[in-house]
Amino acid sequence: HVQLVESGGGSVQAGGSMRLSCVASGYSGGSYCTAWFRQVPGKEREWVVSTYTGLKTVYADSVKGRFTVSRDNAKNTLYLQMNSLKPEDTAMCYCATRNGLCNVLASAYNYWGQGTQVTVS
């Protein structure tokens, strides 16, 4: 059973930076896609970035050039470095994973973390 735990959220001023972490456990064999989504109250969960077994990473246009994904395989951790943050980046951020190819739809992901709040003022 895959488990994901996010951390690193908090409050920052516009233009600042923040790094989120997603620690994964319980993977069995196969290839996985891991993604970050974000959600604000009253809106659909929004895809931010997805990475397929570290081979291909795709970013939403809204974060391209500002956000960067990296991973530490020894720690089973995926990081999301967020730079040049804007107030519109304020959201609850979720790490999600699925067995197989990446997808931008939240409904395609089987496993989710509990979320970490990012607030930009």
Side-chain angles (χ1 to χ4, degrees):
H1 180 68
V2 177
Q3 290 187 310
L4 304 173
V5 179
E6 304 100 330
S7 62
S11 297
V12 67
Q13 291 189 334
S17 298
M18 189 178 291
R19 189 177 79 161
L20 305 183
S21 300
C22 173
V23 180
S25 62
Y27 281 123
S28 59
S31 299
Y32 284 81
C33 174
T34 305
W36 287 95
F37 285 79
R38 62 188 181 185
Q39 189 171 26
V40 297
K43 291 193 174 182
E44 297 285 325
R45 200 162 287 192
E46 176 192 19
W47 168 76
V48 174
V49 58
S50 53
T51 182
Y52 180 65
T53 322
L55 297 177
K56 181 177 180 180
T57 301
V58 181
Y59 297 89
D61 287 344
S62 59
V63 306
K64 201 174 294 182
R66 300 188 298 122
F67 291 11
T68 304
V69 158
S70 62
R71 62 173 65 232
D72 184 334
N73 290 328
K75 295 181 179 180
N76 288 329
T77 301
L78 188 74
Y79 300 102
L80 180 64
Q81 177 67 43
M82 305 183 293
N83 299 328
S84 302
L85 283 162
K86 306 174 181 179
E88 51 263 44
D89 293 318
T90 296
M92 181 69 80
C93 294
Y94 297 91
C95 178
T97 194
R98 66 187 301 268
N99 191 310
L101 298 178
C102 290
N103 197 302
V104 299
L105 296 177
S107 58
Y109 291 80
N110 310 91
Y111 305 102
W112 291 84
Q114 81 286 354
T116 185
Q117 177 68 37
V118 171
T119 303
V120 185
S121 59

